[in-house]
Amino acid sequence: LKDDKHKEENIEKSIEEHISKSNKSKRENNYGITVKGLNNLMVRFAKCCNPVPGDDVLGYVTKGRGVSVHRKDCSNLKSLIESDGEKTIEVSWGTSQGVGYITEIEVKAEDRMGILTDIMAIITESKLTLNALNAKSTKGNLAYISIKVKIDSIEQLKELMKKIRKLKGIIDVYRMKN
């Protein structure tokens, strides 16, 4: 009887420790995002703002799709907060193991011969994976080039944008925001 009581106390202690650990621990998933205070959550990156490591981010708890991670400056996130701000959750960047992040930038440039070739050369030299490219000419001899690339960090993105800005005829390079 004494042994049974001792075993029961050990089991209760073990359960309490487990609950305590799981409640206090930060749960990091393979996406490099830490969701504070919660375990086993599905995390996805919002396609409207494509957050990448280094961005200020906030999580929004969705119905059936886990936590959607947005950049804090995302207009969709601002709308969600206005309609139901109780569903936001603090998230932060952890360490990602070989996870690439798709991000989109837009280039405004003079519509000159070879501009796309020059931009593609920079992407290739930077050893980045091109996900999509869309270019259009407008009145006033301007070109708008949308580029989706896979990156590992915000620093990699900033470096790419800096290199593109140095090209002849570039007017502006900026991240796409919804």
Side-chain angles (χ1 to χ4, degrees), residues 62-75:
T62 63
K63 269 190 181 171
R65 292 176 296 166
V67 175
S68 181
V69 178
H70 292 261
R71 288 182 4 214
K72 282 187 178 175
D73 64 355
C74 174
S75 60

Side-chain angles (χ1 to χ4, degrees), residues 108-113 115 140-143 145 168-171:
K108 180 181 176 184
E110 294 171 9
D111 191 6
R112 68 166 174 83
M113 187 79 111
I115 188 78
N141 201 35
L142 292 177
I145 305 155
K168 179 184 171 218
I170 299 297
I171 298 166

Side-chain angles (χ1 to χ4, degrees), residues 115-116 133-137 143-146:
I115 188 78
L116 280 178
L133 186 132
N134 184 14
K136 63 183 174 201
S137 296
Y144 288 88
I145 305 155
S146 297

Side-chain angles (χ1 to χ4, degrees), residues 48-95:
C48 50
C49 56
N50 293 315
V52 297
D55 285 336
D56 284 335
V57 288
L58 188 64
Y60 188 82
V61 181
T62 63
K63 269 190 181 171
R65 292 176 296 166
V67 175
S68 181
V69 178
H70 292 261
R71 288 182 4 214
K72 282 187 178 175
D73 64 355
C74 174
S75 60
N76 279 353
L77 176 65
K78 289 174 184 170
S79 296
L80 289 169
I81 290 170
E82 283 173 17
S83 65
D84 192 356
E86 296 295 311
K87 290 186 176 180
T88 60
I89 187 166
E90 190 180 337
V91 295
S92 59
W93 293 105
T95 55

